[in-house]
Amino acid sequence: QVQLVESGGGLVQPGGSLGLSCTASGIIFRVADMGWYRQAPGNQRELVATITSGGRVTYADSVRGRAFISRDNARGTVHLQMNNLTPEDTAVYYCNAARPPWHPWGQGTQVTVSS
């Protein structure tokens, strides 16, 4: 079955950076358009960035210029580099398909931005 495993979160000070990774199994990764999402407490899950199977990327306005999504088809991984982090970036970050239908959600990885 499909399994998505996110990692790389942690506690970082404002202005810092983090690199998130997601390993996907059970899907034909090389043809899958993938996305990173985040959900802050009390908020709905929001799409942060997407990358197509061909490498075309999109970003939410809230992270554009600070976030960089990439993929490694050979390893079945998708990455999200987040720079110049602010407290508003605090959330649980998830990867999944770039659009519905979504696969079962993984546990996510917690990113906390605080001094």
Side-chain angles (χ1 to χ4, degrees):
Q1 69 265 23
V2 177
Q3 188 173 23
L4 301 168
V5 180
E6 300 91 351
S7 62
L11 174 64
V12 62
Q13 292 188 341
S17 300
L18 276 178
L20 308 181
S21 295
C22 169
T23 300
S25 58
I27 63 173
I28 306 176
F29 185 81
R30 69 181 184 280
V31 301
D33 295 344
M34 298 296 294
W36 277 97
Y37 301 77
R38 66 185 181 186
Q39 186 168 19
N43 290 0
Q44 290 188 335
R45 189 170 292 164
E46 65 169 334
L47 180 62
V48 175
T50 66
I51 185 166
T52 69
S53 59
R56 184 169 296 181
V57 302
T58 66
Y59 297 100
D61 289 344
S62 57
V63 302
R64 187 173 292 114
R66 302 187 297 118
F68 300 93
I69 188 171
S70 61
R71 65 191 294 156
D72 184 336
N73 287 340
R75 297 178 185 271
T77 56
V78 58
H79 307 278
L80 184 69
Q81 177 68 32
M82 293 281 294
N83 301 324
N84 195 21
L85 287 159
T86 73
E88 288 68 38
D89 295 313
T90 295
V92 180
Y93 285 70
Y94 304 87
C95 70
N96 211 309
R99 65 193 63 80
W102 291 299
H103 306 296
W105 294 89
Q107 298 278 3
T109 186
Q110 175 72 49
V111 172
T112 302
V113 184
S114 175
S115 55

